[in-house]
Structure formats: C-alpha cells, structure tokens
Amino acid sequence: MPSMTSKGIIILIFNNYHITMKKLMILAAASAMFAACGHNASTKHVADAQDSTTANVDSMFYEGLLPAADTYGIRYRLALSSDSTAGFSLEEAYMKSETKTELVSHYQGKAVVKHSKDGAKTYYVLPTEASDSLRFLVVNDSTLRMVNDELEEPVGSQLNYDIKLVK
C-alpha cells in the first residue's frame, strides 16, 4: 500500500470535497430551475371552480398578439363556447420575443355577455382572477377588441388590440 503524505491527503480530501460540492451545486441549480419553471412557466387559474362549463368542441377560437409595456407583447388564445353555456378557455402568454414565451397563464370559466345601453355593442367579460377580468368588444363576426374596465376602446392609439377568429 503506498504511503500518503499529509499534502496528498489534503489534495485527496479537497478533490472529494470539490466533487461533492460540484454535485450539490448542480443539484441545487436543477432544483431551482424546476421550481422556477413549475411556478412561472405555466400557472393555472380557474375563475369559477364551481362551474365546470368551459369552452367545448363547438367553440370559436380567437388569437392575437397585443401590445404590452414591459415585454414584446401578450399573446391571447381564446376559445369561446358557441352554445348557451358561455364557457371560455383563455391562454395568456407573455412573450420575450415573437417565438419565446416568458410566462403563460390559463383561465377557464363562464363569460358574462354585456350590451351597451343602446344595444348596439356586445361585450364579453372574462373573469381571470378573483377580482379581475378581461373585456372584449365584439367588433364583427371575426374580431374581438380588448377594452378597458369601463368598456371603452383605446382612444388615439395606433396599437392593435384585436384578436381574430382562427377557426
């Protein structure tokens, strides 16, 4: 058996410690990555857990990339039930670029249909959080436009707030 000097023992201990620390750092980084991806990449919110009525096969599908202040844009994919249930399923994806997603949220529930006082305009109000909703004006048979809390369209903006029928 070869003899070990104290310097050799210290190097051996350091190498084992280095390998163990490296494994621990990789494990910690992997755990953090999985935790971050599980938390930020896809969060699911159910607006009305009591109501299992959501968009079904007989749905109208809308999609569009809307402007956002701090990101490339927000891509909306909306399925609205075309029957009397008024169910919806919405995917809201915050985009880093045209093809890269930063954060995705999913919402399901029952859309509330509202009409203007004169009955000329129709709006869909989609509950997304306990105290928040998205609102869309029906522009025509193939276009919905995002509006504010007072159901007002963007004024003086050259930005596109429309989502278009895709099916």
Side-chain angles (χ1 to χ4, degrees), residues 101-122:
T101 304
E102 185 174 347
L103 172 70
V104 178
S105 296
H106 297 275
Y107 305 99
Q108 296 179 17
K110 187 172 181 177
V112 176
V113 179
K114 290 190 171 189
H115 299 282
S116 59
K117 290 181 182 178
D118 63 2
K121 296 181 180 180
T122 301

Side-chain angles (χ1 to χ4, degrees), residues 91-152:
E91 178 183 279
E92 180 182 63
Y94 287 80
M95 307 300 291
K96 287 183 179 181
S97 69
E98 189 173 334
T99 58
K100 294 188 183 203
T101 304
E102 185 174 347
L103 172 70
V104 178
S105 296
H106 297 275
Y107 305 99
Q108 296 179 17
K110 187 172 181 177
V112 176
V113 179
K114 290 190 171 189
H115 299 282
S116 59
K117 290 181 182 178
D118 63 2
K121 296 181 180 180
T122 301
Y123 303 90
Y124 289 108
V125 180
L126 311 174
T128 55
E129 300 282 342
S131 62
D132 198 17
S133 297
L134 291 176
R135 293 150 196 84
F136 290 95
L137 165 67
V138 178
V139 176
N140 56 41
D141 291 342
S142 63
T143 305
L144 300 179
R145 180 170 298 141
M146 184 177 279
V147 295
N148 67 15
D149 295 349
E150 286 78 38
L151 304 177
E152 299 168 333

Side-chain angles (χ1 to χ4, degrees), residues 55-74:
N56 59 25
V57 177
D58 296 328
S59 296
M60 297 177 295
F61 295 91
Y62 295 87
E63 185 173 327
L65 181 66
L66 278 55
D70 297 331
T71 187
Y72 182 80
I74 304 171

Side-chain angles (χ1 to χ4, degrees), residues 71-89:
T71 187
Y72 182 80
I74 304 171
R75 182 172 313 281
Y76 289 95
R77 290 188 174 119
L78 172 63
L80 276 174
S81 178
S82 55
D83 60 17
S84 62
T85 63
F88 78 90
S89 177

